Amino acid sequence: MDLKAIKKKFLTLNQMRLSRTRETLRPQQQDVLDILPLLFHVNHPSLPGFVSMETPAGISNYLKEGQALMAARRLVKGFEYKRLLSHYYDIHALFLIGSSGTIAHSTKSDFDIWLCHAPNLDTAKLKELREKCALIEKWADGYNLEVHFFLMDADRFRRGEVLDLSSESSGTAQHDLLLDEFYRTALWLAGRIPVWWLVPPEEEKNYTEYAKNLVARRYLQDSEIIDFGGLGHMPAEEFFGAAVWQIYKAVDSPYKSVLKILLMEAYAKDYPDIEFLSLTFKRKIYEPGEISLNELDPYLMLIDRLTDYVLKNGEQDRIELVRRCFYFKINLPLSKMRYIAGANWQQDVMHALAKKWDWRLNHLAMLDGRHHWKIERITQERKALVDELTHSYFALSQFARENAGLAMISQRDLTVLGRKLYAAFERKAGKVEIINRGFSADLHEPLVALVQRRSQGGRETWSMHRGGSLGAPGEEGAPLKRGSHVMELLIWGYFNRLIDRRTAYAIQTHDSVFSDRELHALIHRLQQLFPGGRLPEVEIEDFANKPRLLSVLLFVNVGVKAASTRARDGHLITDKVDALSFGAAGENLIHSIDALFVTSWQELMFFHYEGVNGLLDCLCQYLQWSPLGEGETPATAQVFCYSSGHGDKIMRRVSELFESVCKAYATPNSRHLRYVMAVERGYAMLYLEDGILKHVQLHTSEELFEHLGRPQGQYSPLMFDPSARYRGPLAAIFAHDKPGVVQFYFHVAAKELEVYVLDEKGSLFHQLMPLADPAVVLAHYHVFLRAILKRQMFPAAAEAVMERIECYQLRDTGGEEPVLERRKLAYQPPQRCFNVQVIGDPNDSSTGFTVFCDDVEFSTAEYGESLFAEVAKHIMQQRGSGLDYPIYITDIDVPANLLGVEPRQNVQTIHYLAYKKLIEDRLNKAAQRAAALNASS
């Protein structure tokens, strides 16, 4: 074998393809391409990309400085070059990979460059080298050249050590397939040449030994070659990972990915004796004779291989899709270009192929009009592509299962790719399907009709139709899209680029007040936030984490006029301007919410909510997107309301509510927070249960007190929404709450005494009683709370018990909330106060207990159902004449089941207080009956 002759043929082909690449560039762009190797050969302050004199530099065997020096002097005036004399170089080689110099290259093609560096560069040097690459990329962009550098360590690559998955790296998904593509498409720019060139095709399976032998026999020197490895055997496991990666790429570039995944399918068919395209490429070079540039074009070789594969399998229906994918990849619109034979080699080749495929001018015109296809054609094309990708994916995954154990793709990369595919193609409830992704740039419809109808089941439905002429119901023709709500159709149409601000609309409604003014305001807002229907850019690294919200849009009352507005035409005068409880009637002005969530997985989620429950559902769903209590918050909710009447109040109230709740639950100590807001004439409460935010409506103050009085599994603080007004002292009481402390509050009114007790876990006890001497009430509560806390804290000292009890008096000041004043709980009671103790029977935990009035004993065993009457009678007899005040329990010690404690609950103060009230009610009723009998007699 003549190594020099083979090397010369490879270099000749390389130069011919570089010439074709240069032909597509303007003179200054040609200079940029020529100077690129020189920029990495020396560190010169006047050259683009300079970082420091210590930045890795010097390219092995770089001798062709002439063309680069001329380009440098044209681009950088006054540049002077001194040849680098060294025996060691940091840069081993530069390769231009991809479509350059091929049928697929165009003026819009970018330049992907492998920058192959020495394997011993440390982290600091690699960082500087990346910085230099970034600066050169930015500089080249000034000449309208998109250049991307990829730092490569050939030794690591050969061993199979690849980068983590990123937007530009396939990670562990494919190695041999990437190498196959590199060997048939790479253009050598400078440095060492691939040793693969010099290993004959028939020695590919013996590649490593053969390459070593070339060096050992001194046919080659280590300093003149670079070794990425051979293609003797591709592991079966790689097919599955590569298939997943290509389907991921198909989300945004479907046609290119269909070609690549079909090539993998063809390779798998020949496994284990795979004839890689790169090997076919090398065989042709090793054959005697002259080089045919078109015959060695990697993309023309690709379409020939795929055509043969599909036709051999008798799959005629797939061949048209394959050819269509290739035509779109080449991107030469033949029907729109003036053709002169011999003037452009790419046009010559594509015209010959079109003739061979029997593609007529009208068919070419249809393909060339792809960017103006309508949604029906896009839907059909998308289905064909997804079906093809799915077919190949399952074929390759089946192949991997039959021929290998686990896939070579790492679990992390598999997870990331799987999430990307799921987000792009999976249908699920609420997801807005983006059909026009990677297909047509313009599906714009100049005139669209929006129709509201009542379905056979009585449900209201909306449909979107092309054109504005509407016939009788049922005669509108097939709709572009159906949906339950008009906002759903607008979002779908806008993000699939069917409608925008240029579109004219005809609206036909059944019971909606949806207007042309409101419609255009909604479209204008979408256009402002997402110009051109483009979703926010994300990185593939985003799929390594769970999805988060990037944008949240809440459209309130779309097509709905608020109730107060309908009744009073917007002229209601009131100081109660809370949109959740508006005016004297306490009306809720928020009738519906259309929510659009845009996620970091580039998913669009649409949800419609109605009424108070809908608002609360929306709030809960919104907050579930971020870990509650971990300091993270979802994207700020942007609220819009374009229906007439109180729109500003509605937007402001909803924004404040979402912001306040979000802030409340983002704090580290909010895992058990309860949040109360005023809604209509009642309340609503948010609370966490097993980490899930839930809500409950409480229509009256009684329901609120009942709910606040429920036992808690742990200390649960309560927050009142700051945007609403609350009558009474609850907001002030709970703002003063402390964990582990029992707080006693009393309020003296004209005719009654109001008592509140917040226990150690934030449960609220509330009791209204006839006005009495506060000293009596406080004295009994002092004895009672001290007794039960002492029992719970045994053997703590009395001082420790009292530290856990606080007392406050609520005083009216004329404002909406009373003032809290600290008091001593230990008021001195009147001399004739009884200690009334209720002691349970451990042997009869269902009903048995004993009541002690000071030292007098009354038990259910002795008195049965008459127990309460006997106790009340005894107490009334011991009181002096004229003393009429309620009977109070001063201590309770009964089994947990009598206190109403659930099996998995712990006993807390609220249980004792509720039981105390129950027993006191029975005793006082018995006393009232006894007093009535005495009076009648």
Side-chain angles (χ1 to χ4, degrees):
M1 180 187 70
D2 188 346
L3 288 180
K4 289 185 178 180
I6 293 299
K7 178 180 177 182
K8 183 179 180 181
K9 291 183 77 172
F10 270 103
L11 291 175
T12 299
L13 173 65
N14 193 84
Q15 187 57 46
M16 294 167 70
R17 283 182 55 194
L18 274 174
S19 296
R20 281 186 166 178
T21 302
R22 290 172 58 82
E23 289 171 3
T24 64
L25 303 176
R26 298 192 302 272
Q28 280 192 319
Q29 292 176 325
Q30 293 177 2
D31 286 344
V32 173
L33 181 62
D34 292 339
I35 201 178
L36 283 178
L38 181 63
L39 300 181
F40 291 98
H41 189 55
V42 296
N43 286 316
H44 196 289
S46 63
L47 288 178
F50 178 78
V51 176
S52 76
M53 296 303 295
E54 305 303 318
T55 305
I59 302 177
S60 301
N61 308 315
Y62 182 61
L63 301 174
K64 296 175 61 177
E65 300 120 322
Q67 201 169 10
L69 288 176
M70 289 188 290
R73 286 166 185 152
R74 284 192 293 270
L75 293 170
V76 182
K77 293 184 184 273
F79 171 71
E80 293 185 7
Y81 170 69
K82 293 182 180 180
R83 177 169 291 180
L84 185 66
L85 298 176
S86 175
H87 297 290
Y88 178 82
Y89 300 95
D90 291 323
I91 312 300
H92 285 180
L94 268 76
F95 295 94
L96 182 59
I97 61 172
S99 63
S100 298
T102 72
I103 186 72
H105 184 74
S106 72
T107 56
K108 296 181 179 179
S109 296
D110 55 2
F111 287 155
D112 290 342
I113 297 174
W114 278 17
L115 178 63
C116 307
H117 59 80
N120 59 348
L121 295 185
D122 59 29
T123 303
K125 287 185 176 182
L126 288 174
K127 182 180 178 181
E128 281 212 0
L129 192 56
R130 288 191 182 94
E131 186 177 349
K132 180 168 188 170
C133 289
L135 291 172
I136 294 173
E137 289 174 355
K138 185 177 181 180
W139 168 75
D141 188 58
Y143 293 91
N144 291 323
L145 279 181
E146 188 176 347
V147 179
H148 304 284
F149 290 98
F150 301 90
L151 269 57
M152 298 294 295
D153 180 340
D155 291 350
R156 287 186 62 196
F157 186 88
R158 188 174 63 253
R159 294 193 299 265
E161 300 176 25
V162 293
L163 298 172
D164 289 336
L165 192 65
S166 69
S167 299
E168 299 296 339
S169 166
S170 55
T172 58
Q174 49 187 0
H175 176 271
D176 288 60
L177 289 166
L178 180 61
L179 190 58
D180 171 45
E181 185 175 354
F182 170 78
Y183 281 145
R184 58 189 160 89
T185 68
L187 290 178
W188 173 75
L189 295 179
R192 304 182 184 189
I193 64 168
V195 69
W196 181 83
W197 285 3
L198 307 177
V199 176
E202 61 272 14
E203 295 291 343
E204 194 69 32
K205 291 187 177 181
N206 191 35
Y207 171 87
T208 302
E209 185 176 341
Y210 192 93
K212 287 181 179 179
N213 193 44
L214 287 175
V215 177
R217 293 191 177 189
R218 299 191 177 181
Y219 291 115
L220 298 171
Q221 294 182 6
D222 277 330
S223 60
E224 64 178 309
I225 57 172
I226 189 166
D227 188 3
F228 294 103
L231 290 165
H233 176 70
M234 176 177 166
E237 296 93 331
E238 187 171 316
F239 283 97
F240 178 68
V244 176
W245 170 253
Q246 287 306 325
I247 293 177
Y248 155 70
K249 297 292 282 185
V251 173
D252 300 306
S253 301
Y255 295 107
K256 182 179 178 181
S257 291
V258 164
L259 296 175
K260 289 193 173 186
I261 199 171
L262 189 57
L263 178 62
M264 285 185 281
E265 188 181 326
Y267 282 170
K269 189 79 171 179
D270 296 334
Y271 185 83
D273 299 317
I274 303 173
E275 177 68 11
F276 290 100
L277 274 179
S278 57
L279 291 181
T280 304
F281 170 81
K282 185 157 69 169
R283 289 186 202 282
K284 291 181 181 292
I285 294 179
Y286 270 72
E287 290 174 358
E290 296 295 322
I291 293 174
S292 171
L293 195 53
N294 287 354
E295 189 178 346
L296 288 170
D297 187 291
Y299 287 91
L300 294 174
M301 293 175 65
L302 173 66
I303 190 59
D304 288 343
R305 171 68 70 87
L306 298 183
T307 301
D308 289 345
Y309 169 70
V310 173
L311 291 179
K312 280 181 182 178
N313 291 339
E315 298 171 310
Q316 187 65 41
D317 55 330
R318 298 175 78 188
I319 192 65
E320 276 300 312
L321 178 61
V322 172
R323 289 170 176 170
R324 200 157 64 244
C325 290
F326 181 78
Y327 184 75
F328 290 143
K329 168 61 184 172
I330 302 308
N331 197 26
L332 278 177
L334 298 182
S335 69
K336 299 179 180 181
M337 302 174 71
R338 183 182 177 188
Y339 176 56
I340 301 175
N344 181 296
W345 74 272
Q346 291 168 306
Q347 279 186 294
D348 290 339
V349 171
M350 290 308 299
H351 271 284
L353 283 176
K355 185 177 180 180
K356 179 181 177 182
W357 298 340
D358 196 27
W359 281 6
R360 307 298 173 86
L361 185 60
N362 61 341
H363 185 70
L364 289 171
M366 182 274 294
L367 296 178
D368 294 339
R370 173 169 66 104
H371 293 299
H372 302 287
W373 284 352
K374 295 303 182 182
I375 192 67
E376 295 88 351
R377 181 73 178 88
I378 290 291
T379 303
Q380 181 183 359
E381 185 77 348
R382 183 178 187 270
K383 183 180 185 305
L385 287 164
V386 172
D387 287 348
E388 177 62 30
L389 291 166
T390 304
H391 176 278
S392 294
Y393 173 79
F394 282 114
L396 289 169
S397 59
Q398 179 65 28
F399 165 82
R401 284 192 294 270
E402 292 175 353
N403 292 276
L406 297 175
M408 287 183 69
I409 183 172
S410 72
Q411 185 59 48
R412 176 192 177 275
D413 288 357
L414 185 60
T415 299
V416 168
L417 293 174
R419 287 172 174 174
K420 172 73 173 181
L421 302 181
Y422 172 82
F425 296 121
E426 189 74 12
R427 288 192 178 102
K428 61 181 179 182
K431 184 173 177 179
V432 179
E433 190 173 22
I434 305 298
I435 298 170
N436 184 23
R437 191 194 293 256
F439 293 100
S440 176
D442 184 14
L443 295 177
H444 177 253
E445 294 290 345
L447 185 58
V448 163
L450 297 169
V451 182
Q452 185 189 33
R453 296 277 187 247
R454 189 183 298 277
S455 66
Q456 291 181 350
R459 292 184 57 190
E460 297 296 333
T461 63
W462 286 83
S463 57
M464 177 183 289
H465 301 262
R466 179 181 290 113
S469 58
L470 298 174
E475 297 180 3
E476 303 93 351
L480 297 171
K481 177 72 174 176
R482 293 186 192 276
S484 300
H485 309 283
V486 67
M487 197 65 210
E488 178 185 1
L489 298 185
L490 296 181
I491 289 170
W492 176 86
Y494 181 76
F495 283 97
N496 277 295
R497 303 181 187 180
L498 274 76
I499 61 174
D500 55 25
R501 283 183 294 181
R502 299 170 295 167
T503 305
Y505 301 91
I507 305 173
Q508 189 176 96
T509 66
H510 175 68
D511 63 356
S512 171
V513 295
F514 190 61
S515 65
D516 190 69
R517 183 194 66 83
E518 185 176 7
L519 187 153
H520 281 91
L522 293 168
I523 295 296
H524 177 71
R525 182 61 63 186
L526 291 175
Q527 180 70 37
Q528 280 187 323
L529 298 173
F530 306 97
R534 291 185 296 273
L535 294 173
E537 293 292 330
V538 300
E539 299 293 335
I540 194 171
E541 290 80 4
D542 288 309
F543 294 91
N545 305 304
K546 71 175 188 177
R548 67 186 191 283
L549 293 179
L550 298 180
S551 296
V552 177
L553 276 62
L554 305 179
F555 298 96
V556 183
N557 293 347
V558 174
V560 176
K561 211 172 186 182
S564 289
T565 311
R566 289 198 300 270
R568 304 169 181 83
D569 198 27
H571 297 294
L572 180 67
I573 299 175
T574 177
D575 62 347
K576 293 190 64 178
V577 294
D578 182 358
L580 286 172
S581 183
F582 189 82
E587 291 176 286
N588 170 36
L589 303 185
I590 301 163
H591 295 278
S592 71
I593 293 180
D594 289 317
L596 175 62
F597 295 163
V598 183
T599 79
S600 58
W601 287 9
Q602 283 197 320
E603 289 183 295
L604 284 176
M605 308 299 295
F606 171 82
F607 301 99
H608 179 83
Y609 306 92
E610 293 190 354
V612 173
N613 267 323
L615 170 67
L616 298 173
D617 285 340
C618 180
L619 190 53
C620 290
Q621 186 169 5
Y622 164 74
L623 282 175
Q624 285 304 120
W625 283 89
S626 293
L628 297 175
E630 294 182 11
E632 293 188 24
T633 57
T636 301
Q638 301 180 71
V639 185
F640 310 99
C641 180
Y642 301 112
S643 59
S644 59
H646 309 297
D648 289 342
K649 294 183 180 69
I650 290 170
M651 287 191 291
R652 184 167 56 251
R653 181 66 180 100
V654 175
S655 296
E656 290 171 350
L657 176 63
F658 273 70
E659 182 180 353
S660 177
V661 172
C662 191
K663 183 178 179 180
Y665 281 100
T667 57
N669 61 347
S670 66
R671 291 179 57 230
H672 307 296
L673 174 69
R674 294 168 291 167
Y675 189 98
V676 174
M677 66 193 80
V679 175
E680 295 178 334
R681 299 179 69 84
Y683 304 90
M685 179 187 292
L686 300 172
Y687 62 97
L688 283 164
E689 186 175 285
D690 298 326
I692 304 298
L693 191 65
K694 297 184 178 181
H695 63 82
V696 61
Q697 270 192 264
L698 307 165
H699 298 92
T700 63
S701 296
E702 290 74 18
E703 289 185 23
L704 176 64
F705 279 111
E706 188 277 328
H707 205 279
L708 296 179
R710 294 179 182 180
Q712 307 294 323
Q714 55 285 309
Y715 171 68
S716 301
L718 185 133
M719 179 184 293
F720 281 84
D721 184 76
S723 298
R725 298 177 181 178
Y726 298 94
R727 295 179 178 176
L730 286 185
I733 289 175
F734 276 96
H736 200 248
D737 191 14
K738 298 176 184 177
V741 176
V742 176
Q743 295 179 320
F744 180 89
Y745 299 85
F746 69 97
H747 178 236
V748 180
K751 295 183 179 180
E752 57 188 7
L753 183 70
E754 195 166 11
V755 170
Y756 302 86
V757 181
L758 265 181
D759 81 354
E760 65 279 1
K761 291 185 178 180
S763 296
L764 177 70
F765 174 78
H766 175 243
Q767 186 174 14
L768 278 173
M769 55 187 68
L771 186 61
D773 183 356
V776 176
V777 177
L778 267 64
H780 282 93
Y781 270 103
H782 168 258
V783 174
F784 177 78
L785 292 174
R786 183 176 180 180
I788 62 172
L789 287 176
K790 185 176 181 180
R791 187 174 292 111
Q792 288 177 293
M793 296 177 62
F794 181 80
E799 293 79 8
V801 172
M802 292 311 297
E803 287 178 1
R804 289 185 54 184
I805 304 175
E806 295 178 353
C807 179
Y808 298 90
Q809 183 173 358
L810 301 166
R811 288 197 179 275
D812 296 321
T813 60
E816 291 200 359
E817 291 187 2
V819 172
L820 305 182
E821 295 180 356
R822 186 74 180 263
R823 294 284 184 263
K824 288 184 178 181
L825 187 63
Y827 274 51
Q828 290 299 319
Q831 294 182 353
R832 293 302 300 159
C833 274
F834 289 94
N835 285 320
V836 183
Q837 296 176 292
V838 180
I839 307 297
D841 184 350
N843 299 313
D844 184 7
S845 61
S846 59
T847 59
F849 59 86
T850 301
V851 177
F852 290 90
C853 296
D854 284 340
D855 296 323
V856 181
E857 178 180 341
F858 300 85
S859 69
T860 53
E862 180 180 358
Y863 294 102
E865 294 296 327
S866 302
L867 172 68
F868 295 103
E870 292 298 325
V871 172
K873 179 181 177 181
H874 173 76
I875 293 174
M876 299 305 292
Q877 288 174 349
Q878 301 305 310
R879 287 182 176 176
S881 60
L883 292 176
D884 183 17
Y885 52 86
I887 299 172
Y888 300 106
I889 302 296
T890 57
D891 189 15
I892 293 175
D893 185 15
V894 297
N897 65 303
L898 283 184
L899 294 174
V901 180
E902 299 293 334
R904 294 186 180 181
Q905 281 184 330
N906 292 321
V907 179
Q908 65 185 86
T909 302
I910 193 67
H911 290 108
Y912 290 101
L913 289 167
Y915 194 71
K916 173 181 185 291
K917 186 174 184 295
L918 176 68
I919 299 299
E920 285 176 348
D921 285 346
R922 298 186 69 176
L923 286 173
N924 286 311
K925 286 178 181 178
Q928 290 171 3
R929 286 194 296 270
L933 287 175
N934 290 334
S936 62
S937 63

